[in-house]
Structure formats: structure tokens, C-alpha cells
């Protein structure tokens, strides 16, 4: 995975639009767009801002040979293999199926007295 694709992956994983993400790492939306499309490279300052804001692993970020699925701790959040499998499965579903999946998860959470975001 190329650097721009990884930056897009971080942005989308954090459910941010380009403007929000660009603001969080102190670049313009246009610069971010160029980086994500592979038409430019981030400055050292931008890479440091990514590390600080999203606690991403710099080795993963700059090594084009590593991909998102080979590292289960990309942004300072430890994701188990099972959680990663659930995320990947959920992302592959059509939107209508995602909603159904969410409703099932809410039922399970309620059954186990676990709070969940609305």
C-alpha cells in the first residue's frame, strides 16, 4: 500500500472528511487530496503531525511493503484479530446489511448490559 493510500486509510478509519483531516494535520485540503492520490508527498512536519494526531506507526506508514492488514496496532488502538475480522467483514457488506448487522449488535449489547453509542 502506498503512502497516500495509507493516509487515506487513516482518514477514513477515523471517519473524517478531507477538510477535517487536513485541518487536524495542518495542511490544506488540496494538499491532502494530492497526497492521497499519489500526486505529492507529505513534508516531514506533516508525517510528524500524523504520528502525533493519530498515533500511527511510522514504520508502517512509510514502508510501502506493509499493508493495513499485517499490523493490528496502527493508530495506538489495539485491535484483536477477531475485531479486525469483524471490521473487514462489516466493511464488505452493502449498507442495508450493515444496518441489520448494527441492530443485531445492539440487541446483543443490550442483552449483556453493555452501553453503546446511538
Amino acid at each position: 500500500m502506498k503512502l497516500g493510500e495509507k493516509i487515506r486509510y487513516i482518514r477514513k478509519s477515523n471517519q473524517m472528511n478531507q477538510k477535517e483531516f487536513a485541518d487536524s494535520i495542518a495542511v490544506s485540503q488540496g494538499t491532502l487530496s494530492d497526497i492521497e492520490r499519489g500526486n505529492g508527498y507529505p513534508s516531514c512536519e506533516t508525517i510528524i503531525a500524523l504520528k502525533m494526531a493519530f498515533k500511527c506507526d511510522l514504520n508502517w506508514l512509510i514502508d510501502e511493503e506493509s499493508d493495513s492488514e499485517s499490523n493490528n496496532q496502527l493508530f495506538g488502538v489495539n485491535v484483536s484479530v477477531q475485531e479486525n475480522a469483524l471490521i473487514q467483514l462489516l466493511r464488505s457488506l452493502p449498507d442495508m446489511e450493515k444496518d441489520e448487522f448494527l441492530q443485531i449488535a445492539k440487541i446483543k449489547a443490550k442483552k449483556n448490559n453493555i452501553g453503546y453509542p446511538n
Side-chain angles (χ1 to χ4, degrees):
M1 185 183 290
K2 296 189 183 233
L3 178 60
E5 294 169 327
K6 289 180 181 182
I7 292 172
R8 180 183 298 122
Y9 178 83
I10 295 168
R11 177 176 63 81
K12 290 188 175 239
S13 294
N14 284 279
Q15 299 178 337
M16 297 174 85
N17 63 38
Q18 281 189 337
K19 176 76 171 118
E20 294 166 331
F21 191 80
D23 288 346
S24 74
I25 59 171
V27 298
S28 70
Q29 183 178 353
T31 297
L32 176 61
S33 178
D34 286 345
I35 292 168
E36 287 187 354
R37 289 181 291 126
N39 294 334
Y41 292 97
S43 67
C44 290
E45 291 81 9
T46 301
I47 290 173
I48 292 168
L50 280 164
K51 176 171 179 30
M52 300 302 288
F54 299 97
K55 300 186 180 18
C56 60
D57 181 319
L58 289 181
N59 291 321
W60 169 80
L61 186 63
I62 61 175
D63 181 4
E64 290 188 0
E65 297 299 315
S66 70
D67 63 16
S68 62
E69 295 175 15
S70 67
N71 187 344
N72 73 343
Q73 193 172 2
L74 301 177
F75 318 122
V77 176
N78 193 10
V79 179
S80 72
V81 172
Q82 186 180 37
E83 289 169 325
N84 190 40
L86 282 168
I87 292 166
Q88 296 304 317
L89 177 63
L90 182 60
R91 286 182 176 163
S92 68
L93 294 173
D95 286 342
M96 185 176 226
E97 299 286 330
K98 288 178 185 176
D99 290 338
E100 184 177 337
F101 193 93
L102 180 59
Q103 293 306 316
I104 292 168
K106 285 181 177 181
I107 290 168
K108 293 287 190 181
K110 186 173 182 180
K111 177 181 173 187
N112 290 286
N113 296 319
I114 299 169
Y116 54 86
N118 291 330

